[in-house]
Amino acid sequence: MTDLGLPALRSGTESVPTTDEKQTGKDFTSDQEVRWCPGCGDYAVLKAVQSFLPDLGLRRENIVFVSGIGCSSRFPYYLDTYGMHSIHGRAPTIATGIATAREDLSVWVVTGDGDALSIGGNHLIHTLRRNVNMTILLFNNRIYGLTKGQYSPTSETGKVTKSTPMGSLDHPFNPVSLALGAEATFVARTIDSDRKHLTSVLAAAAAHRGTSLVEIYQNCPIFNDGAFDAIKSPDTKADAIIPLVHGEPVLFGAPLEDGRGAKALVRDEETGGVKVVATADVAAEDILVHDAHNPDPTMAFAISRLTDSGYLNTSPIGIFRQVQRPTYDDAAREQVASATTVPGDDDAADRSARLAALIGGGDTWTIL
Amino acid sequence: MAAGRARAPTAYALTPRGAHPTEAVRHDPCHTTGVEVVPQGRKARSALDRRLSSLLVVAPEKEVKQLDRVIIRFAGDSGDGMQLTGDRFTQETAAFGNDLVTLPNFPAEIRAPQGTLPGVSSFQVHFADHDILTAGDAPDVLVAMNPAALRANLGDLPKGATIIVDTHDFTARNLTKAGYTENPLDGDTLAEYALHTVDLTGMTIEAVKEFGLSRKDASRAKNMFALGLLSWMYGRPTETTNAFLAKRFAKVPDIRDANVAAFKAGWNFGETTEAFVVRYEIKPAKMAPGHYRNITGNLALSYGLIAGGVQSGLSVFLGSYPITPASDILHELSKHKGFGVTTFQAEDEIAGVGAAIGASFAGQLGVTTTSGPGVALKSEAVGLAVMTELPLVVVDVQRGGPSTGLPTKTEQADLMQAMFGRNGEAPVPIVAPQSPGDCFAAAVEAVRIAVTYRTPVMLLSDGYLANGSEPWRIPGLDELPTIDPDFATEKNQGSGDDAEFWPYLRDEATLARPWAIPGTPGLEHRIGGLEKGDGHGNISYDPANHDFMVRTRQAKVDRIADSLPPLEVDDPTGDAKVLVLGWGSTYGPIGAGVRRVRKAGYHVAQAHLRHLNPFPNDLGEVLKRYDKVLVPEMNLGQLSLLLRAKYLVDVVGYNEVRGLPLKAAVLADVIGGLVADAEGIDVDLTPASIQQESHDD
């Protein structure tokens, strides 16, 4: 192959020890009783993750799940890996410490819309911009479940909840737009009930070296049931889901005679963004071809704006952006390694000698 | 004030007071202690010549006076380089072999409006031919670079003090800015002081004109002119400053040469001018044998954290957010990645501690550094470290509070925050250094406790320790404890195929839980902020279990006391009825106050707490031995409250929250009053009652 002088792409799990032992979902299932509400979308995600993890072929002891607070944050207790159920909103900070300290760990964060976008919003954006090697699973049910049903930062404006009997006033965050704004290197959206799509996104996220943000639409049957019905119902989902596949034209809706979706995305010359048109009305070459690897996040952001901020009738699903950028943790370890590597190695005796030289340095004098 | 020195007063020779009353003493009344005048003679010259060999100046004969100690304060605008000037004078003084203590004092604003009172920055250095404990209550010498510096500091000067003023900035405009309606250099307002008016700036510009600098750049070397003059007055060796300037300005030869020239010109001015007729000699101090360097608290603390990493074999991970006066620790540690140190400048205080906890979970030594407001933000995360029982060192370089408070001033009012500032019963061990150099040993001790007991530890330094400096006897590595992380590698419950790993099965002696780090096969486990079941560590809402776990976490911290040495009580004759008990940076002023009282012939005992939680096992017994216990603090009585609560002892507090260290003379009076009460005697602490003339503080 011709050497183009490009840096080799490093996988997200490249430095994590693998195992030849056959693993099953059961190996990743802890002995703790799962205690989410019946019908909760979290069950489906847990099952998908448990059955996906063996595919990575990593040693179980080298996988760490960290969570914050909220329904989804119970996740680590149900996985037989190393894990920490931490405090509200702070999981990305703890995961940053773990990922920076240890190259040989596969680090996962499980969080929710309140945990990641409200109390932990600051940590989320800074983790994304630093590009610390970890995968963040953001369970978005557009409601506060554990505190029994207040509106969340992704709830639609006007949401009537216990804390907003006259309707909520806040404009919601679009997690994908937020992540792209923070220049995240991997941003995807998937759905709790679509095991196949969810698993494919997880695989891509784990393979990505850097911070992967995966928004998972997750139904809360108790406090926000039906929030994602439009994209889940067989009757409506063809028109509701805008599927994003790298390298392919973005088409959706009921199929035309030629098999293409009836709706297509094209550039909107007026706004500089993108818009939905009837496929039949535009030339094939004008239909937007999704480029997740575009270093410029502008188009990905434009696509993310097609997500309804009110009740969800339409939403792009898939990998919005997947680009390579040096990761914070790799760079931090490289700095330490380059400072540590002295000719003649760095054993404990050497460190002691250098410590003695350090504290005994500067302007010194001796009293006999 | 060298760390590790015995607390009992060191014996040293003093020149009998007034042995040779001479004209010179009256000429220059600023030095009221330990004055001996050495007539100018061959012997004195030759001793000086050795130190002045770098300067070949034919100078008029000057008198040399012997002093046993001097307090100098350099004061100027915050852009005048006073911190640097003080620091260089300190390094020269350390190299000469005096004992010393310094007190930098600067505004929070980086460049407050020029020439105004809020913009004044100062650096006080106290140096002596004997062991001293504080930066001194009142300066003997003030160097004032502008009217605001004079006005802001004049109130601290005793009558008779020497004032050296740069007249260049005493313009009508600057006088107005400083709030003067008349020029204080004219008239009689400064008649009670030994005033030297010198156009330092003008002479500096003249001295550096060959380097072709702009007038503004040239005048910026005036601090080096002042340093040169003071270095001459006090016979300081100049090599360290010349070497420093050569290195600091290596890339800008003109600036380097101008600074060196200004420094030399200042020295020569002192040597040749008739304005200064006397120079002073302060002999090297008798200090305990050893290898010494001058060190600030923040530097010593940084080195202590690195040493803790080396001694435990753990990589240090610092998660930190910049905050005054703790940022220097972040700066320093970031220079030492060669020791496996990772420094993470986080997006906020919470992320700093969060990342440190994550690193500890992953098997490194998690550290976070901050000041009081940052501790408040980190509190929830520290509680998580209490619950998950992970090693963590939280450094709080205390400053004036509450809220933003006084960012650049010192205080010790975070003791309660460190002790109780979390939700729930969340005991955290607390360690406090007593002097700048002692920050090293305190940091190593914090690491020892954190790693051995799997717990967050609060290390309470303060702004005075952080920026103040003193000669520090550099310890040998064999003096440091070895710290064993003792990572778990095996399952610890059941046997054979049923064997399990229980993350909360404790060591019987320390009650510490096993530290099993990711990557260890078979020990996969989950921890978190929810209450843990005893032993197995699964989530438990069982009432009896919660009660047991709360008590167990407290018992684990209490048990640290079993690893501590008995409290060292300095009570030379055993006759004292009054004990002075302190913690943190008040060690210096308390020790100096105690010395004054003892010198006047009275008995008083002194003890200082390194550990605030848990207290040493024998503290209660020590307190009960004394009729009166005085607890001076730079807060409204936080240690007093703890002592009263725990030991039911009616301690007497002495409390000041002025953002400045306590003053030895004030403490001596307070101690004297208590001694009078306790012993039913009259206590006279007037100078005449003190046997020896030096105050030794």
PDB file of all heavy atoms in Angstrom, chain B residues 302-332:
ATOM      1  N   SER B 302       4.548  21.018  47.323  1.00  0.00           N
ATOM      2  CA  SER B 302       4.640  20.327  46.029  1.00  0.00           C
ATOM      3  C   SER B 302       5.658  19.197  46.104  1.00  0.00           C
ATOM      4  O   SER B 302       5.411  18.069  45.654  1.00  0.00           O
ATOM      5  CB  SER B 302       5.052  21.311  44.928  1.00  0.00           C
ATOM      6  OG  SER B 302       4.171  22.399  44.875  1.00  0.00           O
ATOM      7  N   TYR B 303       6.809  19.502  46.674  1.00  0.00           N
ATOM      8  CA  TYR B 303       7.847  18.471  46.816  1.00  0.00           C
ATOM      9  C   TYR B 303       7.359  17.328  47.708  1.00  0.00           C
ATOM     10  O   TYR B 303       7.669  16.158  47.469  1.00  0.00           O
ATOM     11  CB  TYR B 303       9.123  19.074  47.389  1.00  0.00           C
ATOM     12  CG  TYR B 303       9.924  19.919  46.412  1.00  0.00           C
ATOM     13  CD1 TYR B 303      11.076  20.584  46.816  1.00  0.00           C
ATOM     14  CD2 TYR B 303       9.540  20.056  45.071  1.00  0.00           C
ATOM     15  CE1 TYR B 303      11.824  21.357  45.938  1.00  0.00           C
ATOM     16  CE2 TYR B 303      10.262  20.828  44.188  1.00  0.00           C
ATOM     17  CZ  TYR B 303      11.409  21.481  44.622  1.00  0.00           C
ATOM     18  OH  TYR B 303      12.137  22.244  43.748  1.00  0.00           O
ATOM     19  N   GLY B 304       6.587  17.677  48.717  1.00  0.00           N
ATOM     20  CA  GLY B 304       6.067  16.642  49.616  1.00  0.00           C
ATOM     21  C   GLY B 304       5.124  15.694  48.887  1.00  0.00           C
ATOM     22  O   GLY B 304       5.133  14.484  49.121  1.00  0.00           O
ATOM     23  N   LEU B 305       4.309  16.247  47.982  1.00  0.00           N
ATOM     24  CA  LEU B 305       3.393  15.392  47.212  1.00  0.00           C
ATOM     25  C   LEU B 305       4.188  14.474  46.278  1.00  0.00           C
ATOM     26  O   LEU B 305       3.865  13.289  46.139  1.00  0.00           O
ATOM     27  CB  LEU B 305       2.416  16.254  46.411  1.00  0.00           C
ATOM     28  CG  LEU B 305       1.397  17.044  47.247  1.00  0.00           C
ATOM     29  CD1 LEU B 305       0.612  18.008  46.357  1.00  0.00           C
ATOM     30  CD2 LEU B 305       0.439  16.113  47.988  1.00  0.00           C
ATOM     31  N   ILE B 306       5.225  15.038  45.665  1.00  0.00           N
ATOM     32  CA  ILE B 306       6.064  14.199  44.798  1.00  0.00           C
ATOM     33  C   ILE B 306       6.729  13.104  45.636  1.00  0.00           C
ATOM     34  O   ILE B 306       6.769  11.929  45.239  1.00  0.00           O
ATOM     35  CB  ILE B 306       7.126  15.057  44.079  1.00  0.00           C
ATOM     36  CG1 ILE B 306       6.442  16.024  43.100  1.00  0.00           C
ATOM     37  CG2 ILE B 306       8.136  14.183  43.342  1.00  0.00           C
ATOM     38  CD1 ILE B 306       7.370  17.101  42.543  1.00  0.00           C
ATOM     39  N   ALA B 307       7.227  13.497  46.796  1.00  0.00           N
ATOM     40  CA  ALA B 307       7.868  12.515  47.676  1.00  0.00           C
ATOM     41  C   ALA B 307       6.879  11.437  48.107  1.00  0.00           C
ATOM     42  O   ALA B 307       7.226  10.252  48.182  1.00  0.00           O
ATOM     43  CB  ALA B 307       8.460  13.222  48.899  1.00  0.00           C
ATOM     44  N   GLY B 308       5.637  11.848  48.365  1.00  0.00           N
ATOM     45  CA  GLY B 308       4.609  10.871  48.725  1.00  0.00           C
ATOM     46  C   GLY B 308       4.401   9.858  47.608  1.00  0.00           C
ATOM     47  O   GLY B 308       4.204   8.663  47.853  1.00  0.00           O
ATOM     48  N   GLY B 309       4.458  10.355  46.369  1.00  0.00           N
ATOM     49  CA  GLY B 309       4.342   9.455  45.221  1.00  0.00           C
ATOM     50  C   GLY B 309       5.520   8.500  45.147  1.00  0.00           C
ATOM     51  O   GLY B 309       5.348   7.290  44.965  1.00  0.00           O
ATOM     52  N   VAL B 310       6.712   9.020  45.320  1.00  0.00           N
ATOM     53  CA  VAL B 310       7.909   8.166  45.242  1.00  0.00           C
ATOM     54  C   VAL B 310       7.903   7.145  46.374  1.00  0.00           C
ATOM     55  O   VAL B 310       8.162   5.956  46.160  1.00  0.00           O
ATOM     56  CB  VAL B 310       9.192   9.027  45.299  1.00  0.00           C
ATOM     57  CG1 VAL B 310      10.430   8.149  45.435  1.00  0.00           C
ATOM     58  CG2 VAL B 310       9.302   9.897  44.040  1.00  0.00           C
ATOM     59  N   GLN B 311       7.557   7.589  47.573  1.00  0.00           N
ATOM     60  CA  GLN B 311       7.619   6.694  48.729  1.00  0.00           C
ATOM     61  C   GLN B 311       6.541   5.608  48.672  1.00  0.00           C
ATOM     62  O   GLN B 311       6.682   4.555  49.283  1.00  0.00           O
ATOM     63  CB  GLN B 311       7.472   7.493  50.033  1.00  0.00           C
ATOM     64  CG  GLN B 311       8.644   8.424  50.329  1.00  0.00           C
ATOM     65  CD  GLN B 311       9.981   7.708  50.372  1.00  0.00           C
ATOM     66  OE1 GLN B 311      10.776   7.807  49.440  1.00  0.00           O
ATOM     67  NE2 GLN B 311      10.241   6.967  51.437  1.00  0.00           N
ATOM     68  N   SER B 312       5.446   5.887  47.958  1.00  0.00           N
ATOM     69  CA  SER B 312       4.379   4.888  47.860  1.00  0.00           C
ATOM     70  C   SER B 312       4.473   4.096  46.558  1.00  0.00           C
ATOM     71  O   SER B 312       3.741   3.131  46.375  1.00  0.00           O
ATOM     72  CB  SER B 312       3.011   5.585  47.937  1.00  0.00           C
ATOM     73  OG  SER B 312       2.858   6.490  46.851  1.00  0.00           O
ATOM     74  N   GLY B 313       5.349   4.541  45.659  1.00  0.00           N
ATOM     75  CA  GLY B 313       5.433   3.884  44.361  1.00  0.00           C
ATOM     76  C   GLY B 313       4.234   4.172  43.480  1.00  0.00           C
ATOM     77  O   GLY B 313       4.020   3.505  42.472  1.00  0.00           O
ATOM     78  N   LEU B 314       3.435   5.170  43.843  1.00  0.00           N
ATOM     79  CA  LEU B 314       2.246   5.507  43.068  1.00  0.00           C
ATOM     80  C   LEU B 314       2.527   6.724  42.188  1.00  0.00           C
ATOM     81  O   LEU B 314       3.266   7.620  42.578  1.00  0.00           O
ATOM     82  CB  LEU B 314       1.072   5.846  44.001  1.00  0.00           C
ATOM     83  CG  LEU B 314       0.574   4.733  44.914  1.00  0.00           C
ATOM     84  CD1 LEU B 314      -0.432   5.286  45.924  1.00  0.00           C
ATOM     85  CD2 LEU B 314      -0.074   3.624  44.088  1.00  0.00           C
ATOM     86  N   SER B 315       1.903   6.756  41.020  1.00  0.00           N
ATOM     87  CA  SER B 315       1.975   7.953  40.193  1.00  0.00           C
ATOM     88  C   SER B 315       1.024   8.987  40.761  1.00  0.00           C
ATOM     89  O   SER B 315      -0.123   8.672  41.079  1.00  0.00           O
ATOM     90  CB  SER B 315       1.574   7.618  38.761  1.00  0.00           C
ATOM     91  OG  SER B 315       2.509   6.720  38.200  1.00  0.00           O
ATOM     92  N   VAL B 316       1.498  10.209  40.883  1.00  0.00           N
ATOM     93  CA  VAL B 316       0.648  11.276  41.405  1.00  0.00           C
ATOM     94  C   VAL B 316      -0.232  11.808  40.275  1.00  0.00           C
ATOM     95  O   VAL B 316       0.251  12.064  39.169  1.00  0.00           O
ATOM     96  CB  VAL B 316       1.503  12.420  41.982  1.00  0.00           C
ATOM     97  CG1 VAL B 316       0.632  13.616  42.369  1.00  0.00           C
ATOM     98  CG2 VAL B 316       2.317  11.926  43.175  1.00  0.00           C
ATOM     99  N   PHE B 317      -1.521  11.955  40.553  1.00  0.00           N
ATOM    100  CA  PHE B 317      -2.443  12.574  39.590  1.00  0.00           C
ATOM    101  C   PHE B 317      -3.053  13.797  40.259  1.00  0.00           C
ATOM    102  O   PHE B 317      -3.814  13.678  41.216  1.00  0.00           O
ATOM    103  CB  PHE B 317      -3.549  11.599  39.176  1.00  0.00           C
ATOM    104  CG  PHE B 317      -4.484  12.162  38.122  1.00  0.00           C
ATOM    105  CD1 PHE B 317      -4.352  11.782  36.794  1.00  0.00           C
ATOM    106  CD2 PHE B 317      -5.472  13.087  38.456  1.00  0.00           C
ATOM    107  CE1 PHE B 317      -5.200  12.311  35.812  1.00  0.00           C
ATOM    108  CE2 PHE B 317      -6.316  13.620  37.487  1.00  0.00           C
ATOM    109  CZ  PHE B 317      -6.177  13.223  36.160  1.00  0.00           C
ATOM    110  N   LEU B 318      -2.700  14.979  39.764  1.00  0.00           N
ATOM    111  CA  LEU B 318      -3.266  16.202  40.322  1.00  0.00           C
ATOM    112  C   LEU B 318      -4.374  16.708  39.423  1.00  0.00           C
ATOM    113  O   LEU B 318      -4.151  17.014  38.253  1.00  0.00           O
ATOM    114  CB  LEU B 318      -2.191  17.287  40.456  1.00  0.00           C
ATOM    115  CG  LEU B 318      -2.725  18.663  40.888  1.00  0.00           C
ATOM    116  CD1 LEU B 318      -3.231  18.625  42.324  1.00  0.00           C
ATOM    117  CD2 LEU B 318      -1.678  19.746  40.722  1.00  0.00           C
ATOM    118  N   GLY B 319      -5.588  16.787  39.957  1.00  0.00           N
ATOM    119  CA  GLY B 319      -6.691  17.436  39.264  1.00  0.00           C
ATOM    120  C   GLY B 319      -6.946  18.755  39.964  1.00  0.00           C
ATOM    121  O   GLY B 319      -7.225  18.771  41.163  1.00  0.00           O
ATOM    122  N   SER B 320      -6.821  19.872  39.248  1.00  0.00           N
ATOM    123  CA  SER B 320      -6.862  21.150  39.943  1.00  0.00           C
ATOM    124  C   SER B 320      -7.417  22.248  39.056  1.00  0.00           C
ATOM    125  O   SER B 320      -7.335  22.180  37.829  1.00  0.00           O
ATOM    126  CB  SER B 320      -5.441  21.519  40.400  1.00  0.00           C
ATOM    127  OG  SER B 320      -5.460  22.707  41.157  1.00  0.00           O
ATOM    128  N   TYR B 321      -7.984  23.251  39.692  1.00  0.00           N
ATOM    129  CA  TYR B 321      -8.470  24.441  38.998  1.00  0.00           C
ATOM    130  C   TYR B 321      -7.739  25.626  39.624  1.00  0.00           C
ATOM    131  O   TYR B 321      -7.609  25.691  40.845  1.00  0.00           O
ATOM    132  CB  TYR B 321      -9.985  24.565  39.211  1.00  0.00           C
ATOM    133  CG  TYR B 321     -10.614  25.674  38.413  1.00  0.00           C
ATOM    134  CD1 TYR B 321     -10.828  25.540  37.046  1.00  0.00           C
ATOM    135  CD2 TYR B 321     -10.964  26.871  39.023  1.00  0.00           C
ATOM    136  CE1 TYR B 321     -11.393  26.570  36.307  1.00  0.00           C
ATOM    137  CE2 TYR B 321     -11.539  27.901  38.292  1.00  0.00           C
ATOM    138  CZ  TYR B 321     -11.748  27.744  36.936  1.00  0.00           C
ATOM    139  OH  TYR B 321     -12.306  28.763  36.212  1.00  0.00           O
ATOM    140  N   PRO B 322      -7.236  26.551  38.804  1.00  0.00           N
ATOM    141  CA  PRO B 322      -6.438  27.639  39.372  1.00  0.00           C
ATOM    142  C   PRO B 322      -7.202  28.461  40.417  1.00  0.00           C
ATOM    143  O   PRO B 322      -8.358  28.823  40.195  1.00  0.00           O
ATOM    144  CB  PRO B 322      -6.097  28.501  38.150  1.00  0.00           C
ATOM    145  CG  PRO B 322      -6.153  27.543  36.997  1.00  0.00           C
ATOM    146  CD  PRO B 322      -7.262  26.594  37.339  1.00  0.00           C
ATOM    147  N   ILE B 323      -6.557  28.725  41.527  1.00  0.00           N
ATOM    148  CA  ILE B 323      -7.143  29.565  42.581  1.00  0.00           C
ATOM    149  C   ILE B 323      -6.010  30.087  43.460  1.00  0.00           C
ATOM    150  O   ILE B 323      -5.076  29.351  43.790  1.00  0.00           O
ATOM    151  CB  ILE B 323      -8.190  28.770  43.420  1.00  0.00           C
ATOM    152  CG1 ILE B 323      -8.898  29.684  44.428  1.00  0.00           C
ATOM    153  CG2 ILE B 323      -7.556  27.587  44.129  1.00  0.00           C
ATOM    154  CD1 ILE B 323     -10.102  29.027  45.128  1.00  0.00           C
ATOM    155  N   THR B 324      -6.107  31.352  43.821  1.00  0.00           N
ATOM    156  CA  THR B 324      -5.153  31.955  44.740  1.00  0.00           C
ATOM    157  C   THR B 324      -5.489  31.493  46.155  1.00  0.00           C
ATOM    158  O   THR B 324      -6.676  31.487  46.495  1.00  0.00           O
ATOM    159  CB  THR B 324      -5.260  33.491  44.663  1.00  0.00           C
ATOM    160  OG1 THR B 324      -5.002  33.881  43.304  1.00  0.00           O
ATOM    161  CG2 THR B 324      -4.270  34.180  45.589  1.00  0.00           C
ATOM    162  N   PRO B 325      -4.536  31.160  46.984  1.00  0.00           N
ATOM    163  CA  PRO B 325      -3.085  31.139  46.769  1.00  0.00           C
ATOM    164  C   PRO B 325      -2.537  29.728  46.544  1.00  0.00           C
ATOM    165  O   PRO B 325      -1.429  29.433  46.950  1.00  0.00           O
ATOM    166  CB  PRO B 325      -2.568  31.702  48.103  1.00  0.00           C
ATOM    167  CG  PRO B 325      -3.609  31.304  49.119  1.00  0.00           C
ATOM    168  CD  PRO B 325      -4.891  31.005  48.411  1.00  0.00           C
ATOM    169  N   ALA B 326      -3.314  28.864  45.872  1.00  0.00           N
ATOM    170  CA  ALA B 326      -2.876  27.475  45.725  1.00  0.00           C
ATOM    171  C   ALA B 326      -2.280  27.182  44.348  1.00  0.00           C
ATOM    172  O   ALA B 326      -1.681  26.134  44.156  1.00  0.00           O
ATOM    173  CB  ALA B 326      -4.063  26.527  45.973  1.00  0.00           C
ATOM    174  N   SER B 327      -2.463  28.089  43.387  1.00  0.00           N
ATOM    175  CA  SER B 327      -2.094  27.773  42.001  1.00  0.00           C
ATOM    176  C   SER B 327      -0.631  27.375  41.835  1.00  0.00           C
ATOM    177  O   SER B 327      -0.298  26.572  40.954  1.00  0.00           O
ATOM    178  CB  SER B 327      -2.390  28.962  41.086  1.00  0.00           C
ATOM    179  OG  SER B 327      -3.747  29.312  41.165  1.00  0.00           O
ATOM    180  N   ASP B 328       0.239  27.939  42.666  1.00  0.00           N
ATOM    181  CA  ASP B 328       1.665  27.618  42.513  1.00  0.00           C
ATOM    182  C   ASP B 328       1.951  26.123  42.657  1.00  0.00           C
ATOM    183  O   ASP B 328       2.938  25.631  42.120  1.00  0.00           O
ATOM    184  CB  ASP B 328       2.507  28.388  43.548  1.00  0.00           C
ATOM    185  CG  ASP B 328       2.684  29.849  43.130  1.00  0.00           C
ATOM    186  OD1 ASP B 328       2.493  30.141  41.940  1.00  0.00           O
ATOM    187  OD2 ASP B 328       3.011  30.674  44.005  1.00  0.00           O
ATOM    188  N   ILE B 329       1.100  25.425  43.380  1.00  0.00           N
ATOM    189  CA  ILE B 329       1.320  23.975  43.534  1.00  0.00           C
ATOM    190  C   ILE B 329       1.041  23.284  42.203  1.00  0.00           C
ATOM    191  O   ILE B 329       1.791  22.407  41.776  1.00  0.00           O
ATOM    192  CB  ILE B 329       0.431  23.407  44.663  1.00  0.00           C
ATOM    193  CG1 ILE B 329       0.705  24.158  45.967  1.00  0.00           C
ATOM    194  CG2 ILE B 329       0.694  21.914  44.837  1.00  0.00           C
ATOM    195  CD1 ILE B 329      -0.266  23.812  47.088  1.00  0.00           C
ATOM    196  N   LEU B 330      -0.030  23.720  41.526  1.00  0.00           N
ATOM    197  CA  LEU B 330      -0.315  23.204  40.183  1.00  0.00           C
ATOM    198  C   LEU B 330       0.843  23.520  39.235  1.00  0.00           C
ATOM    199  O   LEU B 330       1.313  22.658  38.485  1.00  0.00           O
ATOM    200  CB  LEU B 330      -1.628  23.813  39.672  1.00  0.00           C
ATOM    201  CG  LEU B 330      -1.972  23.640  38.183  1.00  0.00           C
ATOM    202  CD1 LEU B 330      -2.115  22.173  37.809  1.00  0.00           C
ATOM    203  CD2 LEU B 330      -3.251  24.401  37.830  1.00  0.00           C
ATOM    204  N   HIS B 331       1.320  24.763  39.285  1.00  0.00           N
ATOM    205  CA  HIS B 331       2.442  25.151  38.410  1.00  0.00           C
ATOM    206  C   HIS B 331       3.658  24.270  38.689  1.00  0.00           C
ATOM    207  O   HIS B 331       4.318  23.781  37.773  1.00  0.00           O
ATOM    208  CB  HIS B 331       2.850  26.611  38.649  1.00  0.00           C
ATOM    209  CG  HIS B 331       1.727  27.593  38.482  1.00  0.00           C
ATOM    210  ND1 HIS B 331       1.774  28.874  38.978  1.00  0.00           N
ATOM    211  CD2 HIS B 331       0.511  27.464  37.894  1.00  0.00           C
ATOM    212  CE1 HIS B 331       0.646  29.501  38.681  1.00  0.00           C
ATOM    213  NE2 HIS B 331      -0.135  28.657  38.042  1.00  0.00           N
ATOM    214  N   GLU B 332       3.954  24.090  39.967  1.00  0.00           N
ATOM    215  CA  GLU B 332       5.173  23.364  40.314  1.00  0.00           C
ATOM    216  C   GLU B 332       5.066  21.892  39.898  1.00  0.00           C
ATOM    217  O   GLU B 332       5.973  21.346  39.272  1.00  0.00           O
ATOM    218  CB  GLU B 332       5.444  23.484  41.823  1.00  0.00           C
ATOM    219  CG  GLU B 332       6.772  22.902  42.260  1.00  0.00           C
ATOM    220  CD  GLU B 332       7.973  23.576  41.615  1.00  0.00           C
ATOM    221  OE1 GLU B 332       7.904  24.794  41.335  1.00  0.00           O
ATOM    222  OE2 GLU B 332       8.985  22.885  41.367  1.00  0.00           O
TER     223      GLU B 332
END
